[in-house]
Amino acid sequence: MNKFKSEFCEDIVKQVRKDFERRRAERKQLELQWRLNMNFYNGEQYSEITPVGDIEQYGKQYYWQEREVYNHIASIIETRLSKLNRLKCAISVRPFSNDDSDVQTAKLSTQIVKALCEENQIPRLLNEASSWSEVTGSCFFKTVWSGEKGKVIGQSKTGAVREGDVDISVVPPYELFPDSLGTVNIDDCMSIIHAKAYHVDEIKDIWGVDVKGEDVNVFSLDGAGGVFQTGGARNAFDGVAHDMCVVIEKYSRPTAQKPNGELSIVAGDRLLYHGELPYINAVNECRGYPFTKIVCLEKLGCFYGSSIIERLIPLQRAYNAVKNRKHEFINRISMGVLSVEDGSIDTDELEEDGLSPGKVLIYRQGSTPPKLLESGRVPVDFQYEEDRILSEFTTISGVSELSKYSNVLNQMSGKAIGMLVEQDDTRLSIATTSLRMGIKRICEQMLRLYRQFCVTKRMKKFSGDNGEVELAYFTASDLQSDDLVFDNENELTDTLENKRNMVLELVRMGIFNDGNGYVSNRNKLKILEILGFGNWESSKDVDESHRKKAMKENLDFGKEEIDVADYDDHTLHIDEHLKHLLEEKDQSVIDLIDEHIKRHKMMKTVADTSAVGGENNATVSTN
């Protein structure tokens, strides 16, 4: 039996490693393009892909040639990243129905999603992923359940036992290998390999297995002398780590033969895990891949996206050539080119020292004196070509001078500037749409993982509507909905300033007024929240607290007796209870709510009468 198990493990290890090597060989050409993109972004712009399949630096044709780099690609990518970093992608969970219980469940799920995004530092991960996506064309997120996170709930021989929590990490494109480069969507792949270099001690801590370490290029996932090291070009993909081992995770999607899919994890010649997919993170309570893809530009018929740098490389080479030839021409004009009769002077000394001011030039008697040749002026064609290439940078990249340099013509109106900014943002629509859809998929997977692993009651701390800290207790049954929607269309176009101007215009039009022509306290709270002043006035906090107290009472009707307090804001309570009454279907609960509302109305009448009587007495006393 042990021999069978050993042979079984060896077969799986061989199959996984063979499949990994095949996929890596098929993707080699794409990796070369990624390396070239990285070189141009980092300023190593005199490099090229050779016919033998490597990146090499090409040298000067003459020793005097100028080889400076005028890096416009870096500024374009940085401008695009600064715009993409404005994306916040606020997401809410949509309830199943208008019932208060479903609405409250959806609100709880929304708060949990927001809390998980803060705990996993989603903005930082988005910035990192966007950088990879803009340079290489694509990037991935991995959403898993980690037993090393969460509160400590006990102790074991190996240490503290935690309740576990969601863990999100960025997966660069060189770590992920689809079964076919022609498969566009992640869920359409029959299998996906995630290969990453781990330190041997980390493998021991995670899987409890000792493996042999070696020097590994953490980018090419090969030995230190692998394909990424043979070229002469410096690039960011030449990073060698020591005592490392490549861990290969092969995910296979569910099929009729294997309804829960399959996961095999291999490190060196050891099988670390073999079984079904661990996470129920797909639609319809199915198991799926824990990966999410974002792209810079869609590449038709390809799993990986395309980078804008690929289009800019020819322009960058042309621009460097024009600028360098232009400077060489200027050098000829400023330094001069001497015409010297053979044997008339010491040319070696002249080449070494040049024509310094005040220099005494001795030439042979009877020979023709040295003279400077007429160099003319810098041809205007250089300037025309330089301007044309700069305009092509704008056309191809979609990043105008207004975005890069804040250049605005004096006679340009504010509306025209706004239109230019909107056009620049529109050209980023593919990248922003991919980011938004990626965030939505991550949030869906987070909720599904919580439904799978939160079998016992747990507590989550998050920020309330007005910035106060709130605690919520929940289980998996409280997180049934994973129907996510965005709170706004697009942060690049729907900015906070635009939103504020629109709200103020609606206020001036009287849209938020009630039947008496006044803005209700509830609408005031919403307006202040939209304007960014949710916690601006303490009186508004009191109104919000009353409303939350009434909503909590709605959930407790039929479970316990609800009293009416003298300090309750009866108007707010009556509105909230009446809304819940109209949606309630249980007649016994309806009768309880009706009786409760009557008591609120009675106490409100008594309070109003007392207030009027006090005012009359004050008037009589004054007279």
Side-chain angles (χ1 to χ4, degrees):
M1 186 67 179
N2 291 334
K3 180 180 179 182
F4 170 76
K5 288 185 177 180
S6 177
E7 292 177 353
F8 177 74
C9 293
E10 290 178 0
D11 289 341
I12 292 178
V13 170
K14 290 179 181 178
Q15 293 174 8
V16 172
R17 295 196 66 85
K18 182 179 179 181
D19 194 12
F20 170 63
E21 295 297 336
R22 176 188 64 81
R23 300 185 190 198
R24 187 167 61 172
E26 292 177 350
R27 205 187 64 180
K28 180 181 177 182
Q29 195 63 32
L30 285 176
E31 292 178 352
L32 290 174
Q33 185 64 57
W34 298 343
R35 292 175 59 198
L36 189 64
N37 294 350
M38 183 67 76
N39 279 6
F40 270 77
Y41 177 67
N42 291 331
E44 299 290 338
Q45 296 183 352
Y46 291 97
S47 54
E48 60 184 359
I49 301 176
T50 64
V52 296
D54 198 10
I55 303 291
E56 289 186 357
Q57 295 269 10
Y58 54 88
K60 298 180 180 180
Q61 290 180 310
Y62 306 98
Y63 74 91
W64 46 264
Q65 274 190 316
E66 292 276 349
R67 274 172 53 92
E68 298 297 330
V69 172
Y70 304 90
N71 197 346
H72 282 265
I73 288 180
S75 62
I76 289 173
I77 297 300
E78 289 163 2
T79 302
R80 289 173 59 92
L81 287 175
S82 65
K83 288 178 173 290
L84 292 176
N85 289 347
R86 287 164 48 190
L87 281 176
K88 305 303 178 185
C89 297
I91 280 185
S92 299
V93 179
R94 186 159 47 190
F96 282 122
S97 65
N98 291 329
D99 291 344
D100 274 357
S101 59
D102 289 339
V103 172
Q104 293 304 316
T105 299
K107 287 185 177 180
L108 173 63
S109 300
T110 300
Q111 294 292 352
I112 291 175
V113 167
K114 292 180 179 179
L116 290 175
C117 290
E118 293 177 0
E119 292 171 4
N120 287 275
Q121 301 180 14
I122 288 295
R124 178 185 63 81
L125 296 179
L126 287 177
N127 295 345
E128 181 182 351
S130 296
S131 299
W132 280 110
S133 176
E134 288 294 309
V135 175
T136 63
S138 52
C139 190
F140 303 86
F141 295 94
K142 188 177 184 181
T143 308
V144 299
W145 187 266
S146 173
E148 301 298 323
K149 299 183 67 175
K151 296 189 302 181
V152 177
I153 57 177
Q155 295 289 333
S156 66
K157 294 181 180 179
T158 58
V161 178
R162 299 182 178 272
E163 61 182 358
D165 212 329
V166 170
D167 183 60
I168 305 172
S169 57
V170 174
V171 179
Y174 57 82
E175 291 185 359
L176 213 64
F177 300 81
D179 60 329
S180 172
L181 295 177
T183 305
V184 178
N185 300 318
I186 289 180
D187 294 332
D188 294 335
C189 295
M190 293 301 299
S191 64
I192 290 179
I193 287 180
H194 178 208
K196 183 179 179 180
Y198 288 82
H199 195 275
V200 291
D201 293 340
E202 190 175 2
I203 296 176
K204 176 67 174 179
D205 294 338
I206 298 175
W207 289 282
V209 177
D210 291 315
V211 295
K212 182 180 178 181
E214 60 180 349
D215 293 342
V216 176
N217 188 307
V218 296
F219 297 101
S220 67
L221 303 177
D222 203 349
V227 64
F228 278 67
Q229 294 290 321
T230 58
R234 298 191 305 272
N235 58 80
F237 288 91
D238 291 339
V240 178
H242 309 287
D243 293 329
M244 307 291 284
C245 183
V246 177
V247 176
I248 306 172
E249 303 175 4
K250 182 177 180 181
Y251 297 81
S252 300
R253 76 178 187 184
T255 60
Q257 292 77 19
K258 299 177 181 179
N260 288 331
E262 187 177 72
L263 170 61
S264 301
I265 304 178
V266 174
D269 57 352
R270 301 293 299 275
L271 181 63
L272 305 182
Y273 174 86
H274 180 73
E276 61 184 21
L277 292 175
Y279 305 122
I280 305 175
N281 55 4
V283 295
N284 300 325
E285 301 297 324
C286 295
R287 298 175 187 267
Y289 301 127
F291 303 105
T292 301
K293 180 175 74 170
I294 63 171
V295 297
C296 172
L297 298 170
E298 294 284 355
K299 183 183 289 186
L300 293 178
C302 185
F303 180 78
Y304 300 97
S306 176
S307 171
I308 195 69
I309 297 179
E310 298 176 25
R311 305 177 182 179
L312 297 176
I313 286 177
L315 288 180
Q316 185 66 65
R317 283 176 171 154
Y319 187 80
N320 289 340
V322 169
K323 291 287 286 187
N324 284 315
R325 301 297 82 76
K326 183 178 178 180
H327 288 173
E328 290 167 4
F329 209 104
I330 294 175
N331 287 340
R332 291 191 184 95
I333 296 176
S334 59
M335 300 297 295
V337 178
L338 277 174
S339 173
V340 180
E341 184 179 335
D342 186 23
S344 62
I345 62 173
D346 186 356
T347 56
D348 293 336
E349 180 186 358
L350 188 61
E351 286 181 357
E352 182 177 353
D353 299 336
L355 289 176
S356 59
K359 181 180 180 64
V360 177
L361 193 62
I362 301 174
Y363 63 95
R364 181 172 53 83
Q365 185 177 4
S367 62
T368 303
K371 63 178 180 179
L372 289 171
L373 296 179
E374 180 63 33
S375 300
R377 304 180 60 183
V378 177
V380 70
D381 294 337
F382 279 116
Q383 188 62 44
Y384 289 157
E385 181 66 10
E386 183 179 338
D387 294 341
R388 185 188 65 81
I389 295 176
L390 288 176
S391 66
E392 287 193 27
F393 269 118
T394 301
T395 303
I396 293 178
S397 67
V399 178
S400 67
E401 294 185 358
L402 176 63
S403 298
K404 286 195 298 183
Y405 314 119
S406 302
N407 286 345
V408 180
L409 297 177
N410 294 331
Q411 66 272 22
M412 188 176 293
S413 65
K415 187 174 182 179
I417 295 174
M419 292 178 63
L420 288 177
V421 173
E422 185 176 354
Q423 289 176 0
D424 278 2
D425 295 340
T426 302
R427 293 175 180 178
L428 289 171
S429 59
I430 295 178
T432 55
T433 300
S434 179
L435 264 179
R436 287 164 62 84
M437 292 301 103
I439 294 174
K440 183 178 180 182
R441 180 182 172 106
I442 291 172
C443 294
E444 290 173 349
Q445 291 187 346
M446 288 194 299
L447 284 177
R448 291 163 185 166
L449 289 177
Y450 257 60
R451 285 211 303 266
Q452 179 183 358
F453 292 100
C454 291
V455 293
T456 59
K457 206 171 191 66
R458 68 163 55 198
M459 182 188 70
K460 181 67 69 174
K461 181 172 64 174
F462 51 82
S463 298
D465 295 335
N466 289 320
E468 71 275 13
V469 177
E470 297 183 2
L471 297 176
Y473 290 89
F474 62 92
T475 59
S477 60
D478 298 323
L479 307 174
Q480 294 303 312
S481 177
D482 56 9
D483 183 12
L484 300 176
V485 294
F486 290 104
D487 293 343
N488 54 359
E489 289 299 323
N490 193 323
E491 281 84 349
L492 292 185
T493 55
D494 189 15
T495 61
L496 179 60
E497 183 178 357
N498 292 339
K499 190 185 298 184
R500 286 176 174 176
N501 292 334
M502 180 180 65
V503 170
L504 294 176
E505 184 64 27
L506 293 175
V507 170
R508 283 192 291 266
M509 295 171 62
I511 301 298
F512 295 101
N513 295 352
D514 57 15
N516 298 323
Y518 298 100
V519 180
S520 65
N521 289 335
R522 186 168 186 175
N523 285 342
K524 288 179 182 178
L525 284 173
K526 291 297 181 183
I527 293 172
L528 288 173
E529 182 179 351
I530 295 173
L531 294 178
F533 304 110
N535 197 24
W536 189 41
E537 292 184 359
S538 60
S539 61
K540 301 302 183 293
D541 291 340
V542 174
D543 291 343
E544 183 67 11
S545 299
H546 279 297
R547 188 175 66 85
K548 288 183 177 180
K549 182 175 183 292
M551 294 171 66
K552 184 178 182 302
E553 291 175 355
N554 290 337
L555 299 177
D556 294 336
F557 279 120
K559 301 178 183 178
E560 59 184 45
E561 185 176 354
I562 308 299
D563 293 330
V564 178
D566 293 336
Y567 54 78
D568 284 342
D569 189 320
H570 302 293
T571 301
L572 287 176
H573 276 251
I574 290 172
D575 291 341
E576 291 297 331
H577 296 327
L578 183 60
K579 176 184 174 184
H580 184 63
L581 183 145
L582 296 175
E583 297 173 351
E584 183 60 52
K585 298 179 177 60
D586 189 342
Q587 186 59 44
S588 60
V589 176
I590 292 176
D591 294 339
L592 291 174
I593 298 174
D594 184 45
E595 180 64 26
H596 189 82
I597 291 176
K598 289 178 180 178
R599 293 166 61 189
H600 270 297
K601 289 182 177 179
M602 181 179 65
M603 296 187 69
K604 181 177 183 299
T605 302
V606 172
D608 292 343
T609 302
S610 300
V612 172
E615 291 179 359
N616 291 337
N617 292 335
T619 304
V620 172
S621 176
T622 302
N623 292 335

